[in-house]
Amino acid sequence: QAKVAGKNCYRFYSRAMDLAVERRVNLEHELRGAWDRGELSLVYQPVYRLADRTMVGAEALLRWNHPRHGQVAPSVFIDVAEQSGLIETLGPQVLRAACSEAVRWQQLRPSAEPLSVAVNVSSRQLRSGGELVQVVADCLRDTGLEPERLHLELTETAVIGDEVHASEMLAQLRETGIKVLLDDFGTGFSGLSHLRRVPVDGVKIDRSFIADILRDPDDLALTSAIIAMAHSLGITVIAEGVEKAGQYALLRERGCDQAQGYWLGQPVPANEFLALLG
Ligand code: C2E
Ligand code: MG
Ligand code: MG
Ligand code: MG
C-alpha cells in the first residue's frame, strides 16, 4: 500500500515538475519577442534624499505584461532571461530606454538639479565584461545623458565569488563616469569588509533589514553598522523598502543618505513619472 502511495506521490511530483519545466520553456520562448511586441516596459520608482525629502532620482524596474498571464513577476522572468542568455539583448535595451527617459526629465526641468536613473544589471551582464562597458559608453554617447546621472545596480552576489574580475569591471565602468551601487546589500553574507576591496559609489540596504528596524534591535544595529562603515569609506547609503513614516524618521536619524519605498513612492510608468515632475 505504502509503495503504491509512494509511486503515486512520485508521479504527482514528476507531473508538477514537467509542468514547471514546460512553463519555463514557454516563458523563455515568449520572452524572446516580448520587447518588440511592446509587452515589456519600465516603471520608475522615485529615490529621495532623507535630509530634506527631495527627489534625487529614480530606479528603473522592468515589467512584463504577458498577453495571457498578465503581469509576470520580475523575479520569475528576469531569472528566465538570465538563464537563457536573453538578458544580453534585453539588458542593453533597458539601459537605453532608461537613459533616454532620464534625458527627458532633464529637458522638462532644465534649471532643476538633474535626477539620476538607476538601472539593474545582472551578474551575467557583468561577466560578459568588456561588452557591458562598451554598451554603457555607447548608450551615454547616443542619449547624451551626463555619465554621473547613470547609476548601475549590481547585486552583492554578482560581485562576490569573482572579486578580481568584478573589481576590474567596476573600475572600468566607473572610468566612464557613471556610478556603481551594490544592490540588496546585506543579503549576500559577504560582510562589510568587502566594501574595502570592491570599488563602489553606494550600497542599497536590502529591504529585508529595513522591514523590521522599528521592532528588531539587531536589524537596526546592522543597518546602523552598514551606514557607519560605508560612510567611513566615503560610500553613499540608500535604504530600500521604506514602507512606514517611522522607518523613514529612524533612517534619517541614523544618517542614512537616501531612501525609496512604497511610503515614499510606488514604481510608476514613464508618463506618470513625468507628470510627477511637472
Ligand atoms: P531590486 O533591484 O532590489 O528592486 C527593488 C524591488 O523592491 C522592486 O521589485 C520594487 O518594486 C520593490 N519595492 C520597492 N519599494 C518597496 C517597498 O516599500 N516594499 C516592498 N515590499 N517592495 C518594494 P520588482 O520590481 O518586483 O523587482 C524585483 C527585482 O527584479 C529587482 O530587485 C531586480 O533585482 C530585478 N529587476 C527588475 N528590473 C530589472 C532589470 O531591468 N534588469 C535586471 N537585471 N533586473 C531587474
Ligand atoms: Mg535594484
Ligand atoms: Mg534591491
Ligand atoms: Mg532584489
Side-chain angles (χ1 to χ4, degrees):
Q1 188 65 41
K3 213 172 176 182
V4 173
K7 213 171 173 187
N8 284 340
C9 224
Y10 169 77
R11 272 212 200 103
F12 173 76
Y13 283 117
S14 165
R15 173 95 185 108
M17 263 166 65
D18 283 349
L19 284 174
V21 169
E22 192 183 299
R23 186 170 145 78
R24 218 188 146 80
V25 169
N26 279 340
L27 278 184
E28 184 186 324
H29 177 73
E30 290 162 346
L31 188 55
R32 212 162 276 280
W35 182 276
D36 293 333
R37 289 192 303 271
E39 294 166 16
L40 290 165
S41 63
L42 288 171
V43 289
Y44 297 88
Q45 183 175 37
V47 178
Y48 290 85
R49 183 162 54 216
L50 279 164
D52 57 2
R53 215 192 287 176
T54 299
M55 197 199 291
V56 291
E59 178 175 8
L61 295 159
L62 196 56
R63 293 290 178 265
W64 184 12
N65 190 9
H66 188 284
R68 275 174 298 114
H69 308 307
Q71 291 290 331
V72 184
S75 55
V76 172
F77 75 80
I78 294 290
D79 192 50
V80 169
E82 281 191 32
Q83 303 287 330
S84 62
L86 266 172
I87 197 78
E88 313 251 2
T89 46
L90 215 48
Q93 287 168 319
V94 164
L95 190 67
R96 207 162 270 268
C99 289
S100 306
E101 204 52 43
V103 169
R104 222 161 285 152
W105 304 338
Q106 184 55 27
Q107 288 164 345
L108 193 76
R109 9 174 272 167
S111 51
E113 196 190 320
L115 297 173
S116 56
V117 68
V119 178
N120 293 283
V121 170
S122 81
S123 55
R124 185 152 178 164
Q125 288 172 277
L126 186 68
R127 261 183 275 125
S128 75
E131 226 170 280
L132 179 60
V133 179
Q134 192 58 51
V135 164
V136 167
D138 290 350
C139 191
L140 291 172
R141 189 199 55 216
D142 297 347
T143 61
L145 182 68
E146 292 173 76
E148 67 268 35
R149 298 303 158 194
L150 175 60
H151 299 180
L152 288 193
E153 297 192 1
L154 292 151
T155 59
E156 194 185 0
T157 39
V159 170
I160 50 171
D162 196 1
E163 257 174 59
V164 177
H165 173 72
S167 297
E168 171 59 25
M169 280 334 335
L170 298 193
Q172 284 187 33
L173 282 169
R174 290 172 88 209
E175 263 169 45
T176 66
I178 67 157
K179 297 197 187 304
V180 174
L181 310 179
L182 268 195
D183 205 350
D184 302 347
F185 191 75
T187 56
F189 304 104
S190 67
L192 293 167
S193 63
H194 279 251
L195 283 184
R196 277 191 297 122
R197 290 197 291 272
V198 184
V200 296
D201 301 282
V203 292
K204 299 188 80 168
I205 305 177
D206 191 70
R207 67 177 140 88
S208 60
F209 294 100
I210 305 303
D212 269 342
I213 51 169
L214 293 173
R215 273 182 318 208
D216 187 337
D218 292 341
D219 284 359
L220 180 59
L222 220 130
T223 298
S224 300
I226 292 173
I227 295 168
M229 171 85 176
H231 282 174
S232 74
L233 294 166
I235 293 170
T236 301
V237 185
I238 303 140
E240 289 187 319
V242 173
E243 296 181 350
K244 298 184 188 104
Q247 291 167 329
Y248 184 94
L250 189 50
L251 286 163
R252 181 180 161 164
E253 180 202 301
R254 296 295 163 122
C256 185
D257 302 293
Q258 298 171 7
Q260 70 188 87
Y262 296 159
W263 185 72
L264 289 157
Q266 300 267 343
V268 292
N271 58 341
E272 266 179 63
F273 189 77
L274 274 176
L276 214 74
L277 300 179

